[in-house]
Amino acid sequence: MPNYKLTYFNLRGRAEICRYLFAYAGIKYEDHRLEGADWPKIKPTIPFGKVPILEVDGVIIHQSLAIARYLARESGLAGQTPVEQALADAIVDTIDDFMMLFPWAEKNQDVKEKAFNDILTNKAPELLKDLDTFLGDKKWFVGKSVTWADFYWDVCSTTLLSYKADLADKYPRLLALRDRVEALPAIAAWIQKRPKTAI
Ligand code: GSH
């Protein structure tokens, strides 16, 4: 088993999908959480200057979704066939496109709050409707077993619901999918023990 070190801030953020995958696969790793104050010193030492990064026996992989896709493949959660893999990727990218609409780093709190409210009120319904249609009455987004797309929905919707608790009330099937992911024993244990952070 390679030696894994995941570096990010003390947030769920863009590293949490990787932490879910490590937890589910039962793979040991170092969950290295940077102090914000140390970041300016560390940033220039990191290829491409952004986190998360994953070190695999010293080889540095950047981009959260590249890291997560690698971990999903390693743990059998990428999809069972090439088509399932493409569909799981597509769901992840669809959710990620939406998450990237938010001005996460905006310093002006009024501007930030307005933008968040606008996206959650006016843009989220379309995404949720499409995800609900795609899921239909299936147990998981893709194929017959859980994939990293289901994990990504849980991770991202946890953050979205923290901003707007009734966001998905019209979509009980999407909420039930969250419940199924969070009931997986390894995921339930991770959620229980992870550091509690706002996002
Ligand atoms: N698309 C990249 C990914 O998914 O890994 C985005 C990485 C990114 O923007 N990371 C932020 C960061 O490193 C934290 S979420 N911010 C500090 C900086 O840019 O100096």
Side-chain angles (χ1 to χ4, degrees), residues 24 77 80 84 87-88 91 131-154 173-174 176-185 187:
Y24 185 83
L77 288 177
Q80 298 303 309
E84 284 189 14
L87 288 171
I91 290 297
L131 286 175
D132 181 67
T133 301
F134 186 92
L135 176 64
D137 292 319
K138 303 195 303 296
K139 187 169 179 192
W140 308 107
F141 272 130
V142 177
K144 296 213 176 336
S145 49
V146 67
T147 68
W148 71 304
D150 304 303
F151 286 3
Y152 204 54
W153 162 242
D154 188 65
R173 296 186 299 197
L174 291 176
L177 176 58
R178 280 176 49 77
D179 292 342
R180 276 194 291 284
V181 169
E182 293 185 11
L184 296 167
I187 299 299

Side-chain angles (χ1 to χ4, degrees), residues 8-9 14 39 43 49-52 63-65:
Y8 192 58
F9 299 112
R14 298 194 70 80
W39 177 241
K43 183 176 168 79
K50 293 200 184 288
V51 284
Q63 286 291 347
S64 58
L65 298 184

Side-chain angles (χ1 to χ4, degrees), residues 56-113:
V56 184
D57 285 338
V59 175
I60 299 177
I61 306 174
H62 68 292
Q63 286 291 347
S64 58
L65 298 184
I67 299 166
R69 191 174 295 108
Y70 157 75
L71 293 173
R73 285 195 197 117
E74 289 291 293
S75 48
L77 288 177
Q80 298 303 309
T81 66
V83 168
E84 284 189 14
Q85 289 168 7
L87 288 171
D89 285 358
I91 290 297
V92 168
D93 286 345
T94 296
I95 296 170
D96 200 57
D97 282 353
F98 179 76
M99 297 306 284
M100 294 311 291
L101 296 176
F102 292 89
W104 298 102
E106 174 60 54
K107 295 275 187 296
N108 182 318
Q109 286 310 309
D110 282 349
V111 171
K112 187 170 177 175
E113 199 177 313

Side-chain angles (χ1 to χ4, degrees), residues 148-164:
W148 71 304
D150 304 303
F151 286 3
Y152 204 54
W153 162 242
D154 188 65
V155 164
C156 294
S157 59
T158 295
T159 294
L160 297 175
L161 289 167
S162 75
Y163 287 103
K164 193 174 190 315

